[in-house]
Amino acid sequence: MEDQLLPSTPGKIKSDRRTFHRCFASTSTMFLWALFLIALTASYLSFLASGNKYLSRGAHWEKKVISSAEIRRKNGLLVLVTGAGGFVGSHVALALKKRGDGVVGIDNFNDYYDRNLKWSRRNMLESKGVFIVEADINDRRMLAKLFEIVEFTHVMHLAAQAGVRYAMENPNSYVHSNIAGLVTLLEQCKQANPQPAVVWASSSSVYGLNEKVPFSESDRTDKPASLYAATKKAGEEITHTYNHIYGLSITGLRFFTVYGPWGRPDMAYFSFTKNILQGKPITVYRGKGGVDLARDFTYIDDVVKGCVASLDTAGKSTGSGGKKRGSAPYRIFNLGNTSPVTVPALVGILEKNLKMKAKKNVVDMPGNGDVPFTHANISLARRELGYKPTTDLATGLKKFVKWYLWYYGHQGKTKPVHS
């Protein structure tokens, strides 16, 4: 059938084939150029939407960065905190600033949850002298500019797309933030001279379907139960590669259900509080056979102590300008409370603090990537970091409820904050 579409003269056939290939090559080249221009345009628009607004302002914002980076104690650290407008990031940035370290934040203030809360955290930090650059960590030019202005000794990488269930709705956001963003940041760190030590947030989710308890850093983590967990596991492999090839000092922290004031509204304890106060029912999931779900709830102040200790004990990176000159530390620690509490018990504590009964809908846990329990073995962090959590769930939730009522009031209404 194909032969019937070709001329019968051999010379003519060769000539037409050459013409066809030239045309095809030309069309392919044009197509590739079109793709390149589209990609370039998309990259440029993304750049305009984020850090470019700072780069175009010149010296004014650079002065804010330099002021924020000022070290006020002997042998202080100079830390870039990514995700500084987030829950853990804002607390870590504040703790470092309070003790006299130089701190610069970066955050894209995305709309995964209420931006007003993120802006309130930013305003709180800026009142304490911490400046947050509004930009995406995938913005290579902005990162390069920050490293040009400031010689960071450490990077506290807490920027990430969080949440297990949201990954089913928007998987690309997890790849963009948790994988591409991590690589972009590590590329900048490896090229720096001197290279900073990197501490970053992994997750207890990497333990996935592991049934051995408590979870230890040496346990297998090759059975993730969610895309979120898979991206964090990928992050651990990626950071190990940069440690091995480029000599970056890397410390990964596996957080276990962090809660407390200024927390994330998508977390169960937060939404339970809001719904109980508004008289709305809450959904309490249970595992197979009606077993109560349990979590190793870890109070924010304890996690912050673990983060700061990780920065303080991080060995130096050994590379220079992207070239490794010796082996560098690679560490992973669990940061948990090592005292799992069931979700019904959590609800009971909230009811006591709110002085209101919850309207509960108890349903079987759907197949959305959640796991039935988490339990941290923290012996390694205790030995290497001096990590010792001191806040139990009852005490921590009491502090959270006090903050919640101060910030939202009994109606749980979001406070408007100018960006």
Side-chain angles (χ1 to χ4, degrees), residues 158-363:
L158 297 167
Q161 177 58 61
V164 170
R165 298 170 194 169
Y166 183 61
M168 299 180 71
E169 300 177 31
N170 189 3
N172 289 335
S173 66
Y174 289 78
V175 176
H176 174 80
S177 296
N178 301 359
I179 296 179
L182 175 62
V183 171
T184 302
L185 179 66
L186 292 174
E187 280 290 302
Q188 182 59 53
C189 291
K190 87 171 191 193
Q191 295 166 6
N193 190 10
Q195 293 176 336
V198 179
V199 178
W200 74 288
S202 183
S203 170
S204 62
S205 295
V206 300
Y207 291 110
L209 302 177
N210 180 26
E211 295 182 352
K212 173 184 168 292
V213 290
F215 299 155
S216 299
E217 291 88 348
S218 59
D219 290 345
R220 292 180 61 177
T221 55
D222 56 356
K223 294 182 179 180
S226 65
L227 178 63
Y228 169 71
T231 61
K232 287 299 185 179
K233 173 60 178 175
E236 293 188 355
E237 303 299 333
I238 290 168
T239 53
H240 184 274
T241 301
Y242 275 79
N243 166 265
H244 173 67
I245 297 177
Y246 302 111
L248 281 176
S249 170
I250 301 286
T251 303
L253 303 176
R254 293 172 177 171
F255 295 155
F256 281 73
T257 316
V258 188
Y259 73 100
W262 298 98
R264 282 175 25 215
D266 63 316
M267 299 287 284
Y269 74 94
F270 202 116
S271 61
F272 285 174
T273 300
K274 178 180 179 180
N275 288 345
I276 291 172
L277 284 171
Q278 294 181 352
K280 296 179 180 179
I282 64 174
T283 299
V284 178
Y285 293 119
R286 62 188 175 192
K288 293 180 180 179
V291 176
D292 291 332
L293 303 187
R295 292 289 182 270
D296 199 341
F297 295 100
T298 314
Y299 190 63
I300 182 61
D301 289 358
D302 291 326
V303 166
V304 168
K305 290 175 184 176
C307 290
V308 173
S310 297
L311 291 168
D312 287 341
T313 59
K316 292 185 178 181
S317 294
T318 60
S320 177
K323 294 182 179 180
K324 179 179 178 180
R325 303 192 185 281
S327 60
Y330 181 82
R331 311 180 299 173
I332 292 180
F333 297 110
N334 288 338
L335 292 187
N337 195 51
T338 200
S339 299
V341 179
T342 66
V343 175
L346 162 74
V347 174
I349 296 171
L350 287 175
E351 289 176 325
K352 180 179 179 180
N353 282 284
L354 296 170
K355 297 179 174 59
M356 294 179 67
K357 294 294 290 183
K359 301 175 182 177
K360 291 172 278 192
N361 291 329
V362 181
V363 300

Side-chain angles (χ1 to χ4, degrees), residues 98-119:
K98 278 185 175 180
R99 71 174 196 171
D101 292 320
V103 184
V104 178
I106 184 170
D107 199 298
N108 67 356
F109 295 95
N110 66 31
D111 60 359
Y112 168 60
Y113 62 79
D114 180 24
R115 280 179 171 174
N116 283 298
L117 180 57
K118 297 180 180 182
W119 291 329

Side-chain angles (χ1 to χ4, degrees), residues 2 12 15 18 33 36 54 84 93 116 153 157 159 218 236 251 275 325 332 361 374:
E2 183 181 0
K12 177 63 173 173
S15 175
R18 284 195 297 270
W33 270 105
F36 172 74
Y54 281 110
N116 283 298
T153 60
H157 178 46
S218 59
E236 293 188 355
T251 303
N275 288 345
R325 303 192 185 281
I332 292 180
N361 291 329
T374 59

Side-chain angles (χ1 to χ4, degrees), residues 395-416:
T395 302
L397 284 179
K398 183 177 181 179
K399 293 180 179 180
F400 165 74
V401 169
K402 182 179 180 181
W403 168 82
Y404 186 95
L405 294 176
W406 167 78
Y407 186 80
Y408 289 107
H410 282 77
Q411 298 302 312
K413 294 182 178 178
T414 299
K415 290 185 177 181

